[in-house]
Amino acid sequence: KRRYPDAILKSAVNKFDTFLVENRLEANIKDGDAIVKLEEYADRLLEFKKKKMTLINISQDIEFLEEVFMFKGVSHPAATCKTDFGIAWVNEQGCYLYDGKNVTNLLEKGGRQIIKESEWEAFAFTPMIGYIPKKRQLIVADDVGVAGDGRAYLYDMVTKSWVEGHNSTFPDADV
């Protein structure tokens, strides 16, 4: 039995529960990086690995690698979310949005840092992200586990501004 740790298995047309090895999609093989999560937006597939995000164009019969974004990976599945603006994700280096055309670092505005790199580094231990659709806001918590101190940042997608919160509590999904 062969293993394909870097493969994405896709089903045949109208056979949603049938996955054949021949129908696998491999964007970056044998790179020593594990696939953490997949997200789709429009006709693109975002493959999140621990160290990078790979953008795969799925608009045609044959998929192709469009771009690789180094240092934009995620450490766990709770670090990505869907919004009505696109796909948002967070890691120790920043908070990003893919809008169907571009990847934007939400920690920057007009070519300048909104949140200092040192502040974000001290904040984002193993961050997680969520989306509040009614308010069109992202909420980023400092740690997905119990190691964090409950700090959070709120990003308003309309005004493109950040607000820092302290001592928030987010119940663990396993509790």
Side-chain angles (χ1 to χ4, degrees), residues 146-165:
V146 295
D149 60 8
R151 292 187 331 157
Y153 276 97
L154 192 68
Y155 180 77
D156 190 288
M157 304 286 277
V158 177
T159 64
K160 298 180 174 148
S161 59
W162 288 94
V163 175
E164 185 178 7

Side-chain angles (χ1 to χ4, degrees), residues 37-151:
K37 187 164 183 191
L38 300 174
E39 291 278 10
E40 48 76 28
Y41 188 73
D43 55 0
R44 302 295 189 274
L45 183 66
L46 287 74
E47 176 192 61
F48 290 96
K49 290 190 171 189
K50 291 187 180 271
K51 297 176 184 149
K52 63 187 165 198
M53 186 275 284
T54 304
L55 189 61
I56 303 166
N57 188 312
I58 56 174
S59 65
Q60 302 170 13
D61 290 338
I62 297 174
E63 303 82 8
F64 60 91
L65 181 109
E66 200 163 281
E67 199 163 348
V68 176
F69 297 90
M70 293 304 297
F71 312 108
K72 291 183 174 52
V74 297
S75 59
H76 55 85
T80 75
C81 69
K82 290 185 179 187
T83 76
D84 52 343
F85 292 89
I87 304 296
W89 71 98
V90 63
N91 65 23
E92 292 79 11
Q93 283 79 40
C95 185
Y96 308 96
L97 177 71
Y98 174 69
D99 63 5
K101 293 182 181 175
N102 300 304
V103 171
T104 305
N105 186 347
L106 301 177
L107 300 183
E108 298 174 356
K109 188 175 182 180
R112 64 177 183 79
Q113 288 285 126
I114 299 173
I115 299 173
K116 290 181 187 174
E117 193 176 304
S118 59
E119 285 180 35
W120 188 261
E121 212 171 82
F123 161 75
F125 182 69
T126 311
M128 64 179 167
I129 192 169
Y131 184 59
I132 306 165
K134 235 179 188 178
K135 296 187 179 252
R136 300 175 96 182
Q137 295 173 330
L138 292 171
I139 186 160
V140 179
D142 61 351
D143 186 61
V144 71
V146 295
D149 60 8
R151 292 187 331 157

